[in-house]
Amino acid sequence: MENKELLELFERCGHFLYHRRGSRRGQNKIVKILVTRGSMSQKELLDILDIKSGSLSELVSKLEAKGYIKKEKDPKDKRRTILTATEQGRAYLESLETELTKQDDILFSELSEEEKLRLYNMLEKLLTSWRESFDPSLFNHRDRKRGKRNV
């Protein structure tokens, strides 16, 4: 097998995995953060997401229109906007997570436990080798649990 064929297969898998959660990934992330961490200022959310304020404002407006979050002026500082997940937003997130869990189960259902372990070990081996061979900035990504950049 040629490396080119393997890379093309990796790219198709990566493309699918990247896009499988739908076009509202940013919106879903905001709802999840607000449900998990509670109310926060729009500025705090901006810092967590590390996106442009105009992009966040657009996402927040869409989520507010859907009834998933509410915006209120901070009673202590009228310049600050406080964002809170609504019950409708909580229900939406719960439904979404249930559906994603079902999808996650399907992703590797064709593999036995032994095959999953072998695949995991091979991918870890490749990633370790790549980290030693390529620019570390190529491996930066957002840590989903903490909202911070990891190397």
Side-chain angles (χ1 to χ4, degrees):
M1 170 175 281
E2 291 187 34
N3 289 339
K4 183 179 179 181
E5 291 174 296
L6 190 54
L7 284 169
E8 286 174 358
L9 184 57
F10 257 87
E11 287 173 354
R12 288 197 310 268
C13 289
H15 179 83
F16 168 76
L17 291 172
Y18 182 79
H19 291 285
R20 81 181 180 95
R21 293 199 182 223
S23 62
R24 294 191 259 317
R25 192 165 180 212
Q27 291 179 30
N28 297 341
K29 190 173 193 175
I30 290 171
V31 174
K32 185 170 185 164
I33 289 169
L34 293 174
V35 167
T36 304
R37 298 187 183 191
S39 298
M40 66 179 58
S41 74
Q42 195 159 329
K43 171 73 171 96
E44 290 170 310
L45 185 58
L46 187 67
D47 292 342
I48 291 169
L49 295 172
D50 192 28
I51 62 175
K52 294 180 180 177
S53 61
S55 298
L56 178 60
S57 294
E58 183 179 341
L59 291 169
V60 164
S61 293
K62 289 177 181 179
L63 289 169
E64 188 178 28
K66 291 176 183 179
Y68 295 165
I69 67 170
K70 66 179 179 179
K71 288 183 352 182
E72 297 176 314
K73 290 291 179 190
D74 185 339
K76 298 174 187 170
D77 183 350
K78 299 292 184 197
R79 296 171 295 176
R80 288 175 30 129
T81 301
I82 302 297
L83 305 174
T84 307
T86 64
E87 285 306 314
Q88 186 177 347
R90 291 176 190 281
Y92 166 75
L93 183 65
E94 186 175 315
S95 169
L96 177 68
E97 288 182 342
T98 298
E99 181 57 33
L100 290 175
T101 298
K102 288 178 189 175
Q103 290 179 17
D104 289 349
D105 291 342
I106 294 169
L107 284 174
F108 299 104
S109 63
E110 290 297 313
L111 300 178
S112 68
E113 289 303 313
E114 182 182 317
E115 289 171 322
K116 289 179 196 178
L117 183 59
R118 281 198 331 255
L119 176 61
Y120 182 89
N121 288 332
M122 285 188 286
L123 291 173
E124 278 287 324
K125 184 177 181 178
L126 279 175
L127 190 57
T128 299
S129 170
W130 294 347
R131 285 182 189 274
E132 293 170 359
S133 302
F134 295 96
D135 181 349
S137 69
L138 296 172
F139 299 93
N140 289 349
H141 70 281
R142 265 218 183 272
D143 182 312
R144 292 182 183 166
K145 293 178 184 168
R146 293 186 296 269
K148 298 193 183 206
R149 294 231 177 249
N150 279 343
V151 177

